C-alpha cells in the first residue's frame, strides 16, 4: 500500500514527474549514444588488445589511467579543453551512475547455481569472513584516516558538487512493464520459431531485472534497510526465470543458465549488464578528475587509509580462511571481498581454480551488509569525521555502501567516491604483482 501511494503521488504531481523524467531530444539521445558508445568501444578494444598480448592486468584500469592522464595534461595546458571533455562525457557518466547497481545483479541472480556445490559448512565460514571482515576493514580504514588526519591537521575544503541522475518515473515503469509482458508472452507462445535459448529469454529477463530495480528504489527507506533494491531486482529476475521455467517446462536451472552464459556469441541478460563493468572502471577517471583538488589536499589521509585497508582486507581474508579451514579455492575466490565487482573479477582471474560467481556474489553481499549497517557501525566505533566515514565506507563496502551513505551524508560522499575507485585500483595493482599473489597463496595454503 505504501508503494502504491508513492507511485500515485509521483504520477499525480506534474512538477515531480517533469523533474524526474522528460522526453529527451534527438540531440540528447545522440549525445548519450556517442559518449557512452566511445567508452564501451574503448573498453572492448582494450580487452581485445590485452587478450591478444596475453596481458593479465585489467584492461579497463589501464584505460582509466589513460583517460585521467589526458584530463590532467589538458587541465594544465588547456583548462577549457579539459572542461569540454568532461562536459561531453557527462551524459555517459550519469547513465552509468544511474544504473550502476544493476551491473552487480547478475551474480546474485545466478547465485542458486553458484552455491549448489558448496557445502553448508563452507557457506557458513564464508558468511563469517564476509561479515567479520567487513567490520574489521571498516574499523581499520576509519581509524587509520583519523590517526593520519590528526598528524597532518589539514582543514577540509568544500568538494566539487556531484551531479545526481534523475529518479525513475512512472512512465519508465510502464514502458519496461510493457517490454516484460510482451517479450515473456512471445517467448512462451512462439517457442518453435524462437527456440529456447539465451536469446529467447534475454528480453524478459532483462526487463524483469530493470523493473525490480525501479520498484526497489521506490520502497520506503525502512523497508530498503532489509530489502535493498539490488535484492529486489535479483528476486524479480529469479521469479521471472522460475515462471518461464515452469510454463515452458524447461526448468529454473536451464533459464538461469541462459541469464549468464559468459559466451559472447550467445549473451544473456546478465552478460549484457556485466558488459558495462569495464566502462564503470573507465568512468572512475572522470569522478577522480572532478575531485582532484580534494584528492591533492587530503592525499595523506586518503592514500594511507586505502593502502592499509586494502592490504589488511586481502591478507586477513587469506589468514582467517586458513585458520577456519575454508577450502583454499574458495578462500582465494573471496580475497577481493571489499573491491568493486568489476575489478574483483579481474583480480581473481590472476589465480587459477577460482569461482568467479562466488567472488561476485560475496562482493555484492559485502556491499549489501555495508549499505544496511555502515552508519550504525561507524556511530558505535565513534568514527565521526566526514573524511574517515567516507573512506571507511568505500574501503569496506565499495559502491553499494557509497550509494547508501551518499543520501544521508553528502559531506562524506566525495571521499567515498575517491576511496571507492582507489581501493579497486590499488587492490588490482597489488595482485598483479607475482610476489603478492604467491604470498597470498602461501597463506591460503
Amino acid at each position: 500500500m505504501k508503494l502504491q501511494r508513492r507511485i500515485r503521488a509521483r504520477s499525480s504531481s506534474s512538477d515531480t514527474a517533469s523533474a524526474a523524467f522528460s522526453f529527451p531530444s534527438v540531440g540528447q539521445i545522440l549525445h548519450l549514444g556517442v559518449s557512452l558508445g566511445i567508452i564501451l568501444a574503448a573498453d572492448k578494444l582494450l580487452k581485445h588488445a590485452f587478450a591478444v598480448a596475453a596481458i593479465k592486468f585489467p584492461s579497463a584500469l589501464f584505460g582509466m589511467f589513460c583517460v585521467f592522464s589526458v584530463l590532467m595534461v589538458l587541465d594544465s595546458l588547456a583548462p577549457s579543453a579539459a572542461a569540454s571533455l568532461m562536459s561531453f562525457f557527462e551524459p555517459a557518466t550519469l547513465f552509468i551512475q544511474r544504473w550502476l547497481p544493476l551491473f552487480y545483479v547478475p551474480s546474485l541472480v545466478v547465485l542458486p547455481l553458484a552455491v549448489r556445490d558448496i557445502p553448508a559448512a563452507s557457506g557458513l565460514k564464508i558468511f563469517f569472513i564476509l561479515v567479520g571482515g567487513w567490520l574489521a576493514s571498516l574499523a581499520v580504514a576509519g581509524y587509520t584516516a583519523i590517526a593520519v588526519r590528526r598528524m597532518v591537521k589539514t582543514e577540509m575544503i568544500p568538494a566539487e558538487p556531484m551531479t545526481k541522475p534523475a529518479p525513475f518515473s512512472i512512465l519508465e515503469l510502464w514502458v519496461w512493464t510493457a517490454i516484460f509482458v510482451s517479450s515473456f508472452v512471445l517467448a512462451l507462445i512462439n517457442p518453435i520459431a524462437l527456440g529456447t535459448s539465451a536469446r529467447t529469454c534475454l528480453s524478459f529477463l532483462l526487463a524483469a531485472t530493470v523493473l525490480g530495480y525501479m520498484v526497489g528504489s521506490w520502497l520506503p527507506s525502512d523497508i530498503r534497510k532489509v530489502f535493498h533494491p539490488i535484492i529486489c531486482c535479483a528476486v524479480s529476475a529469479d521469479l521471472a526465470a522460475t515462471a518461464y521455467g515452469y510454463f515452458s517446462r524447461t526448468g529454473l536451472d536451464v533459464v538461469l543458465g541462459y541469464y549468464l552464459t559468459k559466451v559472447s556469441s550467445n549473451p544473456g541478460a546478465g552478460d549484457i549488464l556485466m558488459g558495462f563493468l569495464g566502462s564503470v572502471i573507465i568512468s572512475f577517471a572522470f569522478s577522480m578528475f572532478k575531485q582532484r583538488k580534494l584528492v591533492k589536499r587530503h592525499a595523506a589521509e586518503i592514500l594511507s587509509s586505502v593502502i592499509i585497508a586494502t592490504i589488511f582486507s586481502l591478507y586477513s581474508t587469506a589468514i582467517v580462511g586458513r585458520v577456519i579451514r575454508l577450502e583454499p579455492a574458495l578462500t582465494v575466490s573471496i580475497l577481493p571481498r571489499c573491491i568493486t565487482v568489476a575489478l574483483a573479477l579481474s583480480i581473481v582471474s590472476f589465480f587459477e581454480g577460482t569461482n568467479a560467481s562466488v567472488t561476485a556474489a560475496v562482493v555484492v553481499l559485502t556491499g549489501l551488509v555495508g549499505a544496511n549497517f555502515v552508519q550504525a557501525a561507524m556511530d558505535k566505533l565513534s568514527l565521526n569525521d566526514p573524511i574517515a566515514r567516507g573512506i571507511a565506507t568505500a574501503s569496506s563496502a565499495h559502491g553499494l555502501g557509497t550509494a547508501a551513505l551518499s543520501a544521508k551524508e553528502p559531506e562524506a560522499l566525495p571521499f567515498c567516491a575517491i576511496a571507492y575507485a582507489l581501493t579497486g585500483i590499488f587492490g588490482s595493482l597489488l595482485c598483479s604483482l607475482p610476489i603478492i599473489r604467491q604470498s597470498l597463496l602461501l597463506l591460503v595454503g
Side-chain angles (χ1 to χ4, degrees):
M1 291 300 293
K2 288 183 178 180
L3 178 59
Q4 291 175 347
R5 285 197 297 269
R6 293 189 68 178
I7 292 176
R8 283 197 296 268
R10 284 172 177 260
S11 60
S12 62
S13 173
S14 58
D15 292 339
T16 304
S18 61
F21 180 80
S22 60
F23 285 105
S25 65
V26 174
Q28 289 173 323
I29 294 174
L30 288 175
H31 190 178
L32 172 60
V34 173
S35 59
L36 185 61
I38 290 174
I39 296 178
L40 289 170
D43 176 45
K44 189 172 183 179
L45 287 173
L46 285 172
K47 280 181 181 177
H48 178 71
F50 274 52
V52 171
I55 300 174
K56 283 193 171 184
F57 187 80
S59 59
L61 196 56
F62 175 78
M64 189 220 70
F65 283 128
C66 292
V67 173
F68 184 74
S69 300
V70 168
L71 287 169
M72 291 298 292
V73 170
L74 286 177
D75 187 53
S76 61
L77 300 178
S80 60
S84 298
L85 196 62
M86 288 287 291
S87 178
F88 175 78
F89 283 102
E90 186 176 27
T93 55
L94 284 176
F95 176 89
I96 291 172
Q97 184 182 345
R98 191 184 198 218
W99 296 104
L100 181 61
L102 274 185
F103 309 144
Y104 299 152
V105 169
S107 56
L108 287 184
V109 176
V110 299
L111 190 60
L113 299 180
V115 302
R116 179 159 299 165
D117 297 327
I118 298 177
S122 299
L124 289 174
K125 292 175 182 178
I126 291 174
F127 183 76
F128 169 77
I129 295 175
L130 185 156
V131 177
W134 162 75
L135 185 58
S137 296
L138 177 78
V140 168
Y143 287 133
T144 301
I146 288 177
V148 176
R149 187 153 161 69
R150 286 174 179 170
M151 288 189 288
V152 298
K153 299 179 180 179
T154 306
E155 293 295 327
M156 284 185 63
I157 60 173
E160 290 294 323
M162 301 183 71
T163 308
K164 290 187 177 182
F168 300 112
S169 70
I170 192 68
L171 176 59
E172 291 175 291
L173 179 70
W174 284 116
V175 169
W176 280 103
T177 300
I179 293 173
F180 170 73
V181 173
S182 58
S183 58
F184 186 87
V185 172
L186 182 61
L188 281 177
I189 65 176
N190 199 13
I192 297 177
L194 294 176
T196 303
S197 66
R199 196 163 297 175
T200 307
C201 303
L202 191 155
S203 295
F204 76 80
L205 286 178
L206 180 62
T209 309
V210 173
L211 281 172
Y213 180 53
M214 287 181 174
V215 172
S217 67
W218 279 337
L219 293 174
S221 57
D222 54 342
I223 296 179
R224 288 203 304 269
K225 289 180 180 179
V226 294
F227 198 61
H228 194 276
I230 278 195
I231 297 179
C232 187
C233 61
V235 170
S236 176
D238 281 330
L239 288 175
T242 302
Y244 185 80
Y246 175 79
F247 289 115
S248 66
R249 298 183 181 179
T250 55
L252 175 62
D253 289 1
V254 174
V255 181
L256 286 183
Y258 292 147
Y259 187 88
L260 189 62
T261 65
K262 299 181 181 180
V263 179
S264 58
S265 59
N266 188 34
D271 300 283
I272 299 296
L273 294 174
M274 294 191 75
F276 284 92
L277 288 176
S279 303
V280 172
I281 302 304
I282 294 176
S283 71
F284 284 169
F286 299 100
S287 60
M288 289 179 62
F289 176 77
K290 193 168 186 178
Q291 302 297 342
R292 62 195 180 280
K293 293 180 182 178
L294 205 65
V295 174
K296 185 177 180 180
R297 185 172 182 84
H298 298 285
E301 303 99 297
I302 295 170
L303 293 177
S304 59
S305 302
V306 166
I307 290 172
I308 291 174
T310 305
I311 293 174
F312 171 81
S313 173
L314 290 169
Y315 281 93
S316 64
T317 302
I319 293 171
V320 173
R322 183 165 187 173
V323 169
I324 64 176
R325 297 184 180 180
L326 180 64
E327 289 86 338
L330 290 176
T331 303
V332 175
S333 297
I334 65 173
L335 284 177
R337 56 182 172 78
C338 291
I339 295 172
T340 186
V341 170
L343 288 174
L345 294 176
S346 297
I347 288 173
V348 294
S349 69
F350 291 139
F351 303 91
E352 295 182 0
T354 56
N355 189 327
S357 297
V358 170
T359 301
V362 167
V363 169
V364 175
L365 290 173
T366 299
L368 288 173
V369 170
N372 288 323
F373 302 108
V374 67
Q375 284 187 298
M378 289 191 295
D379 291 341
K380 289 289 185 182
L381 295 172
S382 298
L383 297 175
N384 301 319
D385 186 89
I387 296 178
R389 290 175 76 88
I391 295 173
T393 299
S395 298
S396 62
H398 48 82
L400 296 181
T402 298
L405 195 69
S406 63
K408 299 178 180 178
E409 300 184 24
E411 69 279 4
L413 178 58
F415 300 99
C416 275
I418 295 165
Y420 168 44
L422 290 179
T423 299
I425 292 168
F426 186 68
S428 299
L429 290 174
L430 270 181
C431 292
S432 68
L433 301 175
I435 188 172
I436 298 296
R437 294 200 300 272
Q438 291 300 322
S439 64
L440 287 170
L441 290 173
L442 183 65
L443 288 173
V444 168

